[in-house]
Amino acid sequence: MLSSWLAEPLWGQFAALLPERPEDHPDHPLGCHRRRIGDRIVFNKMLQLLRFGCSYQVIADTTCSATTIRNRRDEWIAMGVFTRLKQIALESYDRIVGLELDRQGQCSPP
């Protein structure tokens, strides 16, 4: 797992992009339903996937299934969360280090 000094700020930025959702689905036809796996748990699983480069099946455990990880990933992609997070990362890097995107692909003069 990533160190907390890196994972916590990432989660803070990521969580700010997610809509608030109740743990239980209020419109479920049976009036009850299994609680939704917390976004933080799924986010941590995705960080593990990125860190170790293994399959969803390997990362899945009793806290979160591989299907839940894939479904939540697809949900977040459809909501544009990853696109926005990428933009935030680029803007942050540009503020701290400086990007020269207009010079990408060009060689500097000798």
Side-chain angles (χ1 to χ4, degrees), residues 7-26:
E8 287 303 316
L10 284 173
W11 169 246
Q13 289 291 325
F14 194 82
L17 301 173
L18 298 176
E20 288 199 30
R21 296 176 188 249
E23 287 185 22
D24 296 317
H25 193 290

PDB file of all heavy atoms in Angstrom, residues 7-26:
ATOM      1  N   ALA A   7      -1.168   8.762   0.042  1.00  0.00           N
ATOM      2  CA  ALA A   7      -2.537   8.279  -0.160  1.00  0.00           C
ATOM      3  C   ALA A   7      -3.583   9.260   0.360  1.00  0.00           C
ATOM      4  O   ALA A   7      -4.625   9.454  -0.275  1.00  0.00           O
ATOM      5  CB  ALA A   7      -2.717   6.917   0.506  1.00  0.00           C
ATOM      6  N   GLU A   8      -3.331   9.898   1.493  1.00  0.00           N
ATOM      7  CA  GLU A   8      -4.324  10.815   2.076  1.00  0.00           C
ATOM      8  C   GLU A   8      -4.618  12.018   1.180  1.00  0.00           C
ATOM      9  O   GLU A   8      -5.782  12.318   0.931  1.00  0.00           O
ATOM     10  CB  GLU A   8      -3.878  11.270   3.466  1.00  0.00           C
ATOM     11  CG  GLU A   8      -3.993  10.189   4.526  1.00  0.00           C
ATOM     12  CD  GLU A   8      -5.397   9.613   4.660  1.00  0.00           C
ATOM     13  OE1 GLU A   8      -6.380  10.392   4.657  1.00  0.00           O
ATOM     14  OE2 GLU A   8      -5.512   8.385   4.758  1.00  0.00           O
ATOM     15  N   PRO A   9      -3.602  12.728   0.667  1.00  0.00           N
ATOM     16  CA  PRO A   9      -3.911  13.843  -0.236  1.00  0.00           C
ATOM     17  C   PRO A   9      -4.602  13.391  -1.525  1.00  0.00           C
ATOM     18  O   PRO A   9      -5.486  14.075  -2.032  1.00  0.00           O
ATOM     19  CB  PRO A   9      -2.551  14.462  -0.544  1.00  0.00           C
ATOM     20  CG  PRO A   9      -1.629  13.975   0.500  1.00  0.00           C
ATOM     21  CD  PRO A   9      -2.168  12.680   0.982  1.00  0.00           C
ATOM     22  N   LEU A  10      -4.190  12.224  -2.046  1.00  0.00           N
ATOM     23  CA  LEU A  10      -4.861  11.700  -3.237  1.00  0.00           C
ATOM     24  C   LEU A  10      -6.332  11.435  -2.955  1.00  0.00           C
ATOM     25  O   LEU A  10      -7.207  11.781  -3.752  1.00  0.00           O
ATOM     26  CB  LEU A  10      -4.189  10.404  -3.701  1.00  0.00           C
ATOM     27  CG  LEU A  10      -2.870  10.533  -4.426  1.00  0.00           C
ATOM     28  CD1 LEU A  10      -2.260   9.152  -4.650  1.00  0.00           C
ATOM     29  CD2 LEU A  10      -3.048  11.256  -5.742  1.00  0.00           C
ATOM     30  N   TRP A  11      -6.608  10.807  -1.816  1.00  0.00           N
ATOM     31  CA  TRP A  11      -7.990  10.522  -1.457  1.00  0.00           C
ATOM     32  C   TRP A  11      -8.774  11.830  -1.278  1.00  0.00           C
ATOM     33  O   TRP A  11      -9.906  11.941  -1.721  1.00  0.00           O
ATOM     34  CB  TRP A  11      -8.082   9.671  -0.198  1.00  0.00           C
ATOM     35  CG  TRP A  11      -9.491   9.609   0.307  1.00  0.00           C
ATOM     36  CD1 TRP A  11      -9.974  10.118   1.475  1.00  0.00           C
ATOM     37  CD2 TRP A  11     -10.618   9.029  -0.360  1.00  0.00           C
ATOM     38  NE1 TRP A  11     -11.326   9.892   1.567  1.00  0.00           N
ATOM     39  CE2 TRP A  11     -11.745   9.231   0.453  1.00  0.00           C
ATOM     40  CE3 TRP A  11     -10.784   8.378  -1.572  1.00  0.00           C
ATOM     41  CZ2 TRP A  11     -13.021   8.794   0.094  1.00  0.00           C
ATOM     42  CZ3 TRP A  11     -12.052   7.948  -1.940  1.00  0.00           C
ATOM     43  CH2 TRP A  11     -13.151   8.152  -1.107  1.00  0.00           C
ATOM     44  N   GLY A  12      -8.169  12.822  -0.652  1.00  0.00           N
ATOM     45  CA  GLY A  12      -8.853  14.101  -0.458  1.00  0.00           C
ATOM     46  C   GLY A  12      -9.274  14.727  -1.777  1.00  0.00           C
ATOM     47  O   GLY A  12     -10.421  15.192  -1.917  1.00  0.00           O
ATOM     48  N   GLN A  13      -8.384  14.729  -2.747  1.00  0.00           N
ATOM     49  CA  GLN A  13      -8.709  15.279  -4.070  1.00  0.00           C
ATOM     50  C   GLN A  13      -9.765  14.424  -4.763  1.00  0.00           C
ATOM     51  O   GLN A  13     -10.693  14.941  -5.380  1.00  0.00           O
ATOM     52  CB  GLN A  13      -7.449  15.344  -4.943  1.00  0.00           C
ATOM     53  CG  GLN A  13      -6.469  16.391  -4.529  1.00  0.00           C
ATOM     54  CD  GLN A  13      -6.986  17.796  -4.790  1.00  0.00           C
ATOM     55  OE1 GLN A  13      -7.685  18.046  -5.763  1.00  0.00           O
ATOM     56  NE2 GLN A  13      -6.650  18.705  -3.917  1.00  0.00           N
ATOM     57  N   PHE A  14      -9.610  13.110  -4.665  1.00  0.00           N
ATOM     58  CA  PHE A  14     -10.532  12.196  -5.332  1.00  0.00           C
ATOM     59  C   PHE A  14     -11.925  12.274  -4.706  1.00  0.00           C
ATOM     60  O   PHE A  14     -12.929  12.370  -5.417  1.00  0.00           O
ATOM     61  CB  PHE A  14      -9.987  10.767  -5.245  1.00  0.00           C
ATOM     62  CG  PHE A  14     -10.665   9.805  -6.165  1.00  0.00           C
ATOM     63  CD1 PHE A  14     -10.302   9.728  -7.497  1.00  0.00           C
ATOM     64  CD2 PHE A  14     -11.672   8.961  -5.706  1.00  0.00           C
ATOM     65  CE1 PHE A  14     -10.914   8.845  -8.358  1.00  0.00           C
ATOM     66  CE2 PHE A  14     -12.297   8.074  -6.551  1.00  0.00           C
ATOM     67  CZ  PHE A  14     -11.919   8.016  -7.884  1.00  0.00           C
ATOM     68  N   ALA A  15     -11.989  12.255  -3.397  1.00  0.00           N
ATOM     69  CA  ALA A  15     -13.281  12.270  -2.703  1.00  0.00           C
ATOM     70  C   ALA A  15     -14.067  13.538  -3.006  1.00  0.00           C
ATOM     71  O   ALA A  15     -15.299  13.515  -3.076  1.00  0.00           O
ATOM     72  CB  ALA A  15     -13.067  12.122  -1.198  1.00  0.00           C
ATOM     73  N   ALA A  16     -13.355  14.651  -3.197  1.00  0.00           N
ATOM     74  CA  ALA A  16     -14.031  15.918  -3.505  1.00  0.00           C
ATOM     75  C   ALA A  16     -14.740  15.864  -4.858  1.00  0.00           C
ATOM     76  O   ALA A  16     -15.675  16.640  -5.098  1.00  0.00           O
ATOM     77  CB  ALA A  16     -13.021  17.058  -3.488  1.00  0.00           C
ATOM     78  N   LEU A  17     -14.348  14.948  -5.720  1.00  0.00           N
ATOM     79  CA  LEU A  17     -14.957  14.826  -7.045  1.00  0.00           C
ATOM     80  C   LEU A  17     -16.165  13.885  -7.069  1.00  0.00           C
ATOM     81  O   LEU A  17     -16.886  13.836  -8.059  1.00  0.00           O
ATOM     82  CB  LEU A  17     -13.909  14.319  -8.044  1.00  0.00           C
ATOM     83  CG  LEU A  17     -12.670  15.191  -8.194  1.00  0.00           C
ATOM     84  CD1 LEU A  17     -11.643  14.486  -9.079  1.00  0.00           C
ATOM     85  CD2 LEU A  17     -13.022  16.550  -8.758  1.00  0.00           C
ATOM     86  N   LEU A  18     -16.363  13.153  -5.987  1.00  0.00           N
ATOM     87  CA  LEU A  18     -17.447  12.166  -5.936  1.00  0.00           C
ATOM     88  C   LEU A  18     -18.722  12.776  -5.363  1.00  0.00           C
ATOM     89  O   LEU A  18     -18.665  13.559  -4.421  1.00  0.00           O
ATOM     90  CB  LEU A  18     -17.031  10.973  -5.069  1.00  0.00           C
ATOM     91  CG  LEU A  18     -15.822  10.180  -5.541  1.00  0.00           C
ATOM     92  CD1 LEU A  18     -15.487   9.103  -4.520  1.00  0.00           C
ATOM     93  CD2 LEU A  18     -16.086   9.562  -6.905  1.00  0.00           C
ATOM     94  N   PRO A  19     -19.875  12.378  -5.907  1.00  0.00           N
ATOM     95  CA  PRO A  19     -21.134  12.847  -5.321  1.00  0.00           C
ATOM     96  C   PRO A  19     -21.402  12.116  -4.004  1.00  0.00           C
ATOM     97  O   PRO A  19     -20.927  10.998  -3.799  1.00  0.00           O
ATOM     98  CB  PRO A  19     -22.173  12.465  -6.371  1.00  0.00           C
ATOM     99  CG  PRO A  19     -21.593  11.283  -7.061  1.00  0.00           C
ATOM    100  CD  PRO A  19     -20.095  11.509  -7.055  1.00  0.00           C
ATOM    101  N   GLU A  20     -22.138  12.755  -3.120  1.00  0.00           N
ATOM    102  CA  GLU A  20     -22.523  12.079  -1.871  1.00  0.00           C
ATOM    103  C   GLU A  20     -23.623  11.079  -2.192  1.00  0.00           C
ATOM    104  O   GLU A  20     -24.524  11.364  -2.960  1.00  0.00           O
ATOM    105  CB  GLU A  20     -23.002  13.103  -0.848  1.00  0.00           C
ATOM    106  CG  GLU A  20     -21.868  13.926  -0.312  1.00  0.00           C
ATOM    107  CD  GLU A  20     -22.237  14.591   1.005  1.00  0.00           C
ATOM    108  OE1 GLU A  20     -23.056  14.039   1.758  1.00  0.00           O
ATOM    109  OE2 GLU A  20     -21.691  15.663   1.231  1.00  0.00           O
ATOM    110  N   ARG A  21     -23.509   9.908  -1.583  1.00  0.00           N
ATOM    111  CA  ARG A  21     -24.504   8.847  -1.793  1.00  0.00           C
ATOM    112  C   ARG A  21     -24.832   8.205  -0.463  1.00  0.00           C
ATOM    113  O   ARG A  21     -23.947   8.019   0.360  1.00  0.00           O
ATOM    114  CB  ARG A  21     -23.946   7.769  -2.718  1.00  0.00           C
ATOM    115  CG  ARG A  21     -23.662   8.262  -4.094  1.00  0.00           C
ATOM    116  CD  ARG A  21     -23.031   7.146  -4.897  1.00  0.00           C
ATOM    117  NE  ARG A  21     -22.583   7.662  -6.153  1.00  0.00           N
ATOM    118  CZ  ARG A  21     -23.137   7.355  -7.318  1.00  0.00           C
ATOM    119  NH1 ARG A  21     -24.132   6.513  -7.362  1.00  0.00           N
ATOM    120  NH2 ARG A  21     -22.682   7.865  -8.426  1.00  0.00           N
ATOM    121  N   PRO A  22     -26.086   7.827  -0.292  1.00  0.00           N
ATOM    122  CA  PRO A  22     -26.435   7.105   0.939  1.00  0.00           C
ATOM    123  C   PRO A  22     -25.859   5.691   0.889  1.00  0.00           C
ATOM    124  O   PRO A  22     -25.634   5.141  -0.189  1.00  0.00           O
ATOM    125  CB  PRO A  22     -27.966   7.072   0.911  1.00  0.00           C
ATOM    126  CG  PRO A  22     -28.322   7.216  -0.539  1.00  0.00           C
ATOM    127  CD  PRO A  22     -27.232   8.047  -1.160  1.00  0.00           C
ATOM    128  N   GLU A  23     -25.603   5.136   2.065  1.00  0.00           N
ATOM    129  CA  GLU A  23     -25.097   3.757   2.106  1.00  0.00           C
ATOM    130  C   GLU A  23     -26.159   2.767   1.640  1.00  0.00           C
ATOM    131  O   GLU A  23     -25.842   1.765   1.027  1.00  0.00           O
ATOM    132  CB  GLU A  23     -24.643   3.410   3.523  1.00  0.00           C
ATOM    133  CG  GLU A  23     -23.351   4.078   3.908  1.00  0.00           C
ATOM    134  CD  GLU A  23     -22.865   3.620   5.264  1.00  0.00           C
ATOM    135  OE1 GLU A  23     -23.268   2.526   5.713  1.00  0.00           O
ATOM    136  OE2 GLU A  23     -22.081   4.347   5.874  1.00  0.00           O
ATOM    137  N   ASP A  24     -27.415   3.045   1.959  1.00  0.00           N
ATOM    138  CA  ASP A  24     -28.517   2.190   1.528  1.00  0.00           C
ATOM    139  C   ASP A  24     -29.245   2.860   0.377  1.00  0.00           C
ATOM    140  O   ASP A  24     -29.350   4.080   0.321  1.00  0.00           O
ATOM    141  CB  ASP A  24     -29.513   1.959   2.678  1.00  0.00           C
ATOM    142  CG  ASP A  24     -28.893   1.201   3.826  1.00  0.00           C
ATOM    143  OD1 ASP A  24     -28.178   0.227   3.563  1.00  0.00           O
ATOM    144  OD2 ASP A  24     -29.118   1.598   4.983  1.00  0.00           O
ATOM    145  N   HIS A  25     -29.752   2.055  -0.537  1.00  0.00           N
ATOM    146  CA  HIS A  25     -30.496   2.591  -1.668  1.00  0.00           C
ATOM    147  C   HIS A  25     -31.941   2.828  -1.219  1.00  0.00           C
ATOM    148  O   HIS A  25     -32.668   1.873  -0.945  1.00  0.00           O
ATOM    149  CB  HIS A  25     -30.443   1.612  -2.843  1.00  0.00           C
ATOM    150  CG  HIS A  25     -30.896   2.208  -4.120  1.00  0.00           C
ATOM    151  ND1 HIS A  25     -32.199   2.532  -4.371  1.00  0.00           N
ATOM    152  CD2 HIS A  25     -30.203   2.561  -5.221  1.00  0.00           C
ATOM    153  CE1 HIS A  25     -32.308   3.044  -5.570  1.00  0.00           C
ATOM    154  NE2 HIS A  25     -31.105   3.074  -6.110  1.00  0.00           N
ATOM    155  N   PRO A  26     -32.390   4.091  -1.136  1.00  0.00           N
ATOM    156  CA  PRO A  26     -33.721   4.378  -0.598  1.00  0.00           C
ATOM    157  C   PRO A  26     -34.864   3.877  -1.469  1.00  0.00           C
ATOM    158  O   PRO A  26     -35.977   3.675  -0.985  1.00  0.00           O
ATOM    159  CB  PRO A  26     -33.748   5.902  -0.499  1.00  0.00           C
ATOM    160  CG  PRO A  26     -32.710   6.383  -1.462  1.00  0.00           C
ATOM    161  CD  PRO A  26     -31.676   5.300  -1.535  1.00  0.00           C
TER     162      PRO A  26
END
